[in-house]
Amino acid sequence: MNLNTLHLFVAIVQTGSLSKASERTGVPIATISRQIAELEKHLQIQLFDRQKSGVKPTMAGQKLYDEVHLSIDNLLNAKQVLFDDEQNLKGILRISAPSKCEPVLAWVSEFGQKFPNVQIHATMTERILDLSADSIDVAFRIGELHGEHFIAKKVATLGTKWVAHPELLARFGTPNTLKELKNFPIATWAKNGENEVVIQMNKEKIALPIAFASNDAYAVEYMIVQGLYIGQMSAVTADEWIAKKRLVEILPKLEKPDYELFMLYASQRYPSAIVRAFVEFVMDQAT
């Protein structure tokens, strides 16, 4: 199976059209079309459904993409970095992290300055990702994770604080115990369909009704800063708003749980040079 043809096949799936794949690879559309036709003939299976808006992989095409695209990307990265020294590292690094995850953004910023020829694309989301299907090289997620197809390494411990807008406290009063939080509108991160959140502080646990929920930390932060709800934020973000006198810490004497941040990447024996450099960089910064 021709590697150049597989490279073109991967480009078509990722861009959704032959013309965009042609722009990305610099290969004429006619050549791409001919090579894909030859690949389909060789495999004796249809790889794409042709549509007016472009092309979409068939079920068989998607399976082939899942199997080969990381290997093709690694080969392309290897071609770019082979015989180059570390400072000339070139290629694309695709990461994912929760929104407003400042430790990760700081690492990415420093890595980008150290390796200016590496293009970095960051997908900021809390949703669960398939590293292969979503074309993510390195992901950062909160909470201990295990899996057969990825390696997870702890890189940080994130503290939290409960905060509220002074005007909201003027309306509702200031809670002094965990149980008193039941009298306040709570904003929190939650999955769709969840209607309560379990809070634990000082070994005391309580289930609280959720007034506003989102799968995006920034949305929760926005609602709290507007004075509509109280809720929990990362200590770093909370301290910024407290310093601006926009928020006040509540229940400061209660012990808040910490959350562990993990770095995930595919469990390949030979990761790409860029992924290997980034993983080593983060681990150096985290220790």
Side-chain angles (χ1 to χ4, degrees), residues 2 66 72 90 103-105 165 197 200 211 214 253 260:
N2 190 296
D66 292 341
I72 294 298
K90 298 178 182 179
V104 174
L105 293 175
H165 195 285
V197 58
Q200 182 170 350
S214 176
K253 295 182 180 180
E260 295 181 333

Side-chain angles (χ1 to χ4, degrees), residues 56-75:
K56 182 179 180 180
T58 61
M59 184 177 296
Q62 185 63 49
K63 287 182 179 179
L64 177 61
Y65 174 79
D66 292 341
E67 289 294 324
V68 306
H69 83 279
L70 286 177
S71 297
I72 294 298
D73 285 349
N74 289 343
L75 285 171

Side-chain angles (χ1 to χ4, degrees), residues 8 22 49 103 155 201 203 217:
L8 296 175
S22 176
D49 287 324
V155 292
M201 289 189 275
K203 297 182 179 179

